[in-house]
Amino acid sequence: MLPAASNVSVTDDHSLLRFICAELTRGYFLEHNEAKYTERRQRVYTCMRIPGELEKLMVFGYFVCLDAFLYTFTLLPLRVLLALLRLLALPCCGLRELRLLQPSQVCDILKGFIAVLCCFLMRYVDYAMMYHLIRGQSVIKLYVIYNMLEVADRLFSSVGQDILDALYWTATEPKERKRAHIGVIPHFLIAVLYVFLHTILIMVQATTLNVAFNSQNKSLLTIMMSSNFVEIKGCVFKKFEKNNLFHMSNSDIKERFTNFILIFIVCLRNMEQFSWNPDHLWVLLPDVSMAVASEIAVDIVKHAFVTKFNDITADVYSEYRARLAFDLVSSRKKNAYTDYSDSVARRMGFIPLPLAVLLICVMTSSLKIQGPLSYMCVMLFYLGMITLKVLNSIILLGKSCLYVKKANMEEKLVRNHQIPALNPSHQASKSQSKALRSTGRSLSSVQELSSPVGGFQASDTAEGKAAVSKGSEVKHGSRKENLLDVDHFAICGNRID
């Protein structure tokens, strides 16, 4: 029995030695699964490209929002003045035209009146009392309040453009149609109430941010900036398609631009409190840098992991940029369906009026204008803003034309340009209006092929089905995969998924 046991032990030792040698010298060949490792490497390259491609989109979208924002301060007052002069000159020239004002002029006057009334109402809001009321709250309570204000801002933005669109359409709707609304004045009052409440909400946001900047231990500012990383958890582990990522990108552009304006308002109020001492600006610079850096870092990390988990390439951001460029070029056409600033509001959820009203109120309360020299400086500043607006618009339009041409979207732009305006004028006869109604079905098929820039999407009826190019049929209820078919009346850029 003993010899047998010794043989077993020798065999076991020999097997263990062979196993160890095999583990040390074992080889494998990655080329046997080439597709898998090539895909993994491509994912790494995609994550490396995301920051650059995302920031290109963000910079372009930032200047698009800036152009719409500057329009409220520069060209809108001039357009309102021209519309009022036309309205006053009509009795002198005789009522030769049935239409007193063009629809665009009516919308400009309504925007001007809303801005003036809201600026007048904001004079009764005490900023100092609001600041000390917020400063007296605890850090945790302020953190909760700031998060609630962000959610409320998104909700206000989503419903705000619908309120303004309802007002514009009610004021410019053809009179021969059957009355199906509550009247222009109620819509106007609702719009004024909305802009006033939204302005107060943004003012509370700016005040809370100002309290965080002026806190002694900076704990509130740190908590508020770290709350941005909570946004990653809510987005990264969700399924995203290209259209959903497009809406999220638009929301991030609007959020970043709004945060920059809020930081500018905070710096303006702090500089006023320290008698415009330039040394205090260097004290604010680290906090401003931390706020901006955290916002950029969160956007990059969020988009990098969303594209990784959903197998979306980095080239999709070039498509998004071309989509925004297409909106800009389409709104410059002669027969455009909407104003450019309204197109930006519907696409990104950025409504310039409340933010512009707040900035006007803050600047008028912070800057004291006395004497002819001060008025001269204000005039030069206004001319400088007009120059900046014109230069920004020219550069954006040139870049947009290049992006549209690079994305091969010129044919769609020309086809959309050939569609005439469907709104009948007051001079059209009843026979012409009947002809327009009879041709409505044929025009609806063309509208589905064209971009929905500035126009409402066709109703979801059986008559809304149309034949697309190359003879392929697309059902109206099917999911839209092409970014050109995304209707920015159907969903705002600030959608909460």
Side-chain angles (χ1 to χ4, degrees), residues 75-304:
L75 300 185
L76 181 60
L78 298 179
R79 289 175 63 91
V80 172
L81 183 60
L82 291 177
L84 293 177
L85 290 177
R86 172 185 170 87
L87 190 62
L88 296 175
L90 282 178
C92 301
C93 301
L95 296 175
R96 298 180 181 179
E97 298 182 2
L98 295 178
R99 185 187 291 272
L100 298 179
L101 294 174
Q102 297 296 325
S104 59
Q105 294 176 325
V106 175
C107 295
D108 292 335
I109 291 178
L110 291 174
K111 291 178 184 178
F113 283 171
I114 290 173
V116 171
L117 284 177
C118 291
C119 288
F120 177 76
L121 293 175
M122 287 297 296
R123 295 178 57 186
Y124 296 95
V125 179
D126 193 351
Y127 178 84
M129 183 187 69
M130 183 182 298
Y131 177 83
H132 291 289
L133 181 64
I134 294 176
R135 189 177 182 180
Q137 307 300 323
S138 62
V139 174
I140 301 300
K141 187 181 293 186
L142 288 179
Y143 169 72
V144 174
I145 290 175
Y146 189 79
N147 289 333
M148 292 174 59
L149 291 174
E150 286 188 345
V151 177
D153 179 57
R154 295 186 179 186
L155 296 177
F156 267 79
S157 298
S158 63
V159 74
Q161 191 60 38
D162 293 338
I163 293 175
L164 296 176
D165 284 336
L167 171 63
Y168 301 152
W169 175 240
T170 304
T172 59
E173 187 179 9
K175 302 302 179 183
E176 61 266 14
R177 296 188 180 182
K178 184 179 179 181
R179 179 187 174 105
H181 53 80
I182 59 177
V184 178
I185 296 179
H187 277 286
F188 179 77
L189 295 178
I190 294 174
V192 171
L193 180 62
Y194 154 71
V195 175
F196 177 65
L197 293 178
H198 199 175
T199 304
I200 292 180
L201 188 145
I202 300 175
M203 186 177 183
V204 176
Q205 273 186 296
T207 307
T208 308
L209 193 61
N210 195 8
V211 171
F213 272 57
N214 294 330
S215 59
Q216 296 294 331
N217 52 7
K218 305 296 181 182
S219 59
L220 177 59
L221 183 62
T222 305
I223 293 175
M224 291 170 60
M225 295 302 104
S226 62
S227 67
N228 291 333
F229 291 90
V230 180
E231 186 181 353
I232 298 177
K233 179 182 177 181
C235 297
V236 166
F237 300 105
K238 289 184 179 180
K239 182 175 178 56
F240 276 83
E241 296 182 359
K242 284 187 177 182
N243 292 344
N244 302 115
L245 183 60
F246 182 43
H247 294 306
M248 189 179 74
S249 302
N250 291 330
S251 178
D252 292 337
I253 293 171
K254 174 252 180 183
E255 183 180 357
R256 184 178 295 189
F257 181 80
T258 304
N259 288 338
F260 284 164
I261 299 299
L262 291 180
I263 291 175
F264 175 75
I265 291 175
V266 169
C267 294
L268 197 64
R269 299 296 298 184
N270 277 274
M271 293 297 292
E272 179 198 2
Q273 295 298 324
F274 286 88
S275 303
W276 302 100
N277 185 8
D279 295 335
H280 185 67
L281 190 61
W282 297 102
V283 177
L284 295 173
L285 189 59
D287 297 335
V288 172
S289 301
M290 185 178 71
V292 174
S294 65
E295 187 71 27
I296 295 176
V298 166
D299 290 340
I300 291 176
V301 173
K302 179 174 63 176
H303 283 264

